[in-house]
Amino acid sequence: MKPKFSFIALTLILFILISCNNLNKEKELELKEKELLLKERELNLKEKQSPKKSISTNDAIRLAEKQFRKYLPKILKSHEAILDIQESYTGDFTGDGIEDVAIYFSLASNQGGNAIVGQGLTLYQNDGFVVNVIAGYEPDYLFEFDKINNGKIYVEKLEYTENDGRCCPSIKTEHTLTISGSNAY
């Protein structure tokens, strides 16, 4: 009988030791998981606190032109046109000291010829990190882009005299654009 008792006692002690060892391993794993979670939170905080990389004016132009290419099919379809001219200009028209982007476009008929069937400006604000469209300008008259100066966008409104040829309006009136909501006027 004694050997049975010793065998049972030994089995019971071995079972207890194995159980304790498993509990210790589980606790170790829990501690390691908590440590990893804390390290991950620290890294996330550091990422949030580290400054974003600012973009150059050339990058801002590139990003604005990329957004314009996505918008262009809508413009072309609504005017039944093709893109004739696209030019990008920079200057601070939002007053934050950072160069913004204005894209001038002119549209010609998709049926041929050289008549201007639409033109406009798409205005993009550059906050130094991202570029977002803030307004559009598509007047019902001909105009030429002039400049961006002192936080303002200047265009020249073009009008015809009685004797002007279709190609060459001779009345040019300076017009300063005002941005209001998603429109410039």
mmCIF file of all heavy atoms in Angstrom, residues 42-54 129:
data_model
loop_
_atom_site.group_PDB
_atom_site.id
_atom_site.type_symbol
_atom_site.label_atom_id
_atom_site.label_comp_id
_atom_site.label_asym_id
_atom_site.label_seq_id
_atom_site.Cartn_x
_atom_site.Cartn_y
_atom_site.Cartn_z
ATOM 1 N N GLU A 42 3.329 54.337 -26.433
ATOM 2 C CA GLU A 42 4.400 55.340 -26.437
ATOM 3 C C GLU A 42 4.750 55.743 -27.859
ATOM 4 O O GLU A 42 4.892 56.921 -28.165
ATOM 5 C CB GLU A 42 5.659 54.773 -25.765
ATOM 6 C CG GLU A 42 5.735 54.985 -24.295
ATOM 7 C CD GLU A 42 7.043 54.425 -23.725
ATOM 8 O OE1 GLU A 42 8.119 54.637 -24.312
ATOM 9 O OE2 GLU A 42 6.953 53.766 -22.680
ATOM 10 N N LEU A 43 4.896 54.748 -28.738
ATOM 11 C CA LEU A 43 5.225 55.038 -30.136
ATOM 12 C C LEU A 43 4.128 55.853 -30.803
ATOM 13 O O LEU A 43 4.403 56.789 -31.554
ATOM 14 C CB LEU A 43 5.467 53.739 -30.918
ATOM 15 C CG LEU A 43 6.769 53.016 -30.631
ATOM 16 C CD1 LEU A 43 6.789 51.665 -31.344
ATOM 17 C CD2 LEU A 43 7.948 53.859 -31.076
ATOM 18 N N ASN A 44 2.882 55.513 -30.549
ATOM 19 C CA ASN A 44 1.763 56.260 -31.123
ATOM 20 C C ASN A 44 1.782 57.703 -30.646
ATOM 21 O O ASN A 44 1.528 58.624 -31.419
ATOM 22 C CB ASN A 44 0.421 55.604 -30.792
ATOM 23 C CG ASN A 44 0.169 54.362 -31.609
ATOM 24 O OD1 ASN A 44 0.767 54.164 -32.662
ATOM 25 N ND2 ASN A 44 -0.710 53.504 -31.111
ATOM 26 N N LEU A 45 2.076 57.915 -29.363
ATOM 27 C CA LEU A 45 2.155 59.281 -28.836
ATOM 28 C C LEU A 45 3.284 60.052 -29.490
ATOM 29 O O LEU A 45 3.135 61.215 -29.845
ATOM 30 C CB LEU A 45 2.346 59.258 -27.321
ATOM 31 C CG LEU A 45 1.118 58.975 -26.482
ATOM 32 C CD1 LEU A 45 1.488 58.863 -25.005
ATOM 33 C CD2 LEU A 45 0.087 60.078 -26.662
ATOM 34 N N LYS A 46 4.437 59.404 -29.666
ATOM 35 C CA LYS A 46 5.570 60.065 -30.308
ATOM 36 C C LYS A 46 5.235 60.446 -31.741
ATOM 37 O O LYS A 46 5.585 61.521 -32.208
ATOM 38 C CB LYS A 46 6.812 59.170 -30.269
ATOM 39 C CG LYS A 46 7.455 59.108 -28.914
ATOM 40 C CD LYS A 46 8.681 58.219 -28.919
ATOM 41 C CE LYS A 46 9.265 58.097 -27.528
ATOM 42 N NZ LYS A 46 10.403 57.178 -27.489
ATOM 43 N N GLU A 47 4.542 59.548 -32.474
ATOM 44 C CA GLU A 47 4.147 59.847 -33.848
ATOM 45 C C GLU A 47 3.214 61.046 -33.900
ATOM 46 O O GLU A 47 3.332 61.898 -34.756
ATOM 47 C CB GLU A 47 3.456 58.639 -34.492
ATOM 48 C CG GLU A 47 4.391 57.542 -34.910
ATOM 49 C CD GLU A 47 3.653 56.340 -35.484
ATOM 50 O OE1 GLU A 47 2.446 56.438 -35.750
ATOM 51 O OE2 GLU A 47 4.300 55.303 -35.658
ATOM 52 N N LYS A 48 2.274 61.105 -32.953
ATOM 53 C CA LYS A 48 1.329 62.213 -32.922
ATOM 54 C C LYS A 48 2.017 63.517 -32.565
ATOM 55 O O LYS A 48 1.643 64.580 -33.027
ATOM 56 C CB LYS A 48 0.193 61.929 -31.931
ATOM 57 C CG LYS A 48 -0.765 60.874 -32.426
ATOM 58 C CD LYS A 48 -1.851 60.594 -31.398
ATOM 59 C CE LYS A 48 -2.740 59.459 -31.868
ATOM 60 N NZ LYS A 48 -3.736 59.090 -30.868
ATOM 61 N N GLN A 49 3.043 63.451 -31.723
ATOM 62 C CA GLN A 49 3.725 64.653 -31.277
ATOM 63 C C GLN A 49 4.772 65.118 -32.271
ATOM 64 O O GLN A 49 5.088 66.295 -32.309
ATOM 65 C CB GLN A 49 4.380 64.413 -29.922
ATOM 66 C CG GLN A 49 3.370 64.244 -28.807
ATOM 67 C CD GLN A 49 4.023 63.812 -27.501
ATOM 68 O OE1 GLN A 49 5.198 63.458 -27.469
ATOM 69 N NE2 GLN A 49 3.251 63.823 -26.429
ATOM 70 N N SER A 50 5.318 64.214 -33.072
ATOM 71 C CA SER A 50 6.349 64.621 -34.016
ATOM 72 C C SER A 50 5.721 65.450 -35.127
ATOM 73 O O SER A 50 4.626 65.160 -35.594
ATOM 74 C CB SER A 50 7.066 63.393 -34.591
ATOM 75 O OG SER A 50 6.198 62.661 -35.406
ATOM 76 N N PRO A 51 6.395 66.521 -35.533
ATOM 77 C CA PRO A 51 5.819 67.395 -36.554
ATOM 78 C C PRO A 51 5.721 66.681 -37.906
ATOM 79 O O PRO A 51 6.565 65.865 -38.254
ATOM 80 C CB PRO A 51 6.804 68.557 -36.620
ATOM 81 C CG PRO A 51 8.091 68.012 -36.074
ATOM 82 C CD PRO A 51 7.711 66.922 -35.115
ATOM 83 N N LYS A 52 4.645 67.025 -38.643
ATOM 84 C CA LYS A 52 4.486 66.477 -39.983
ATOM 85 C C LYS A 52 5.542 67.098 -40.874
ATOM 86 O O LYS A 52 6.003 68.200 -40.632
ATOM 87 C CB LYS A 52 3.116 66.845 -40.556
ATOM 88 C CG LYS A 52 1.946 66.225 -39.884
ATOM 89 C CD LYS A 52 0.693 66.718 -40.581
ATOM 90 C CE LYS A 52 -0.570 66.239 -39.954
ATOM 91 N NZ LYS A 52 -1.747 66.804 -40.596
ATOM 92 N N LYS A 53 5.877 66.405 -41.926
ATOM 93 C CA LYS A 53 6.832 66.930 -42.883
ATOM 94 C C LYS A 53 6.110 67.925 -43.782
ATOM 95 O O LYS A 53 5.097 67.609 -44.385
ATOM 96 C CB LYS A 53 7.425 65.789 -43.714
ATOM 97 C CG LYS A 53 8.492 66.256 -44.650
ATOM 98 C CD LYS A 53 9.058 65.128 -45.461
ATOM 99 C CE LYS A 53 10.057 65.700 -46.436
ATOM 100 N NZ LYS A 53 10.343 64.797 -47.518
ATOM 101 N N SER A 54 6.629 69.143 -43.824
ATOM 102 C CA SER A 54 5.985 70.157 -44.666
ATOM 103 C C SER A 54 6.333 69.916 -46.128
ATOM 104 O O SER A 54 7.324 69.274 -46.458
ATOM 105 C CB SER A 54 6.411 71.554 -44.227
ATOM 106 O OG SER A 54 7.799 71.721 -44.414
ATOM 107 N N PHE A 129 1.183 71.396 -45.406
ATOM 108 C CA PHE A 129 1.231 69.944 -45.272
ATOM 109 C C PHE A 129 0.343 69.245 -46.290
ATOM 110 O O PHE A 129 0.674 68.171 -46.765
ATOM 111 C CB PHE A 129 0.813 69.523 -43.855
ATOM 112 C CG PHE A 129 1.641 70.173 -42.786
ATOM 113 C CD1 PHE A 129 1.143 71.238 -42.054
ATOM 114 C CD2 PHE A 129 2.928 69.749 -42.528
ATOM 115 C CE1 PHE A 129 1.910 71.852 -41.081
ATOM 116 C CE2 PHE A 129 3.708 70.354 -41.563
ATOM 117 C CZ PHE A 129 3.196 71.409 -40.831
#
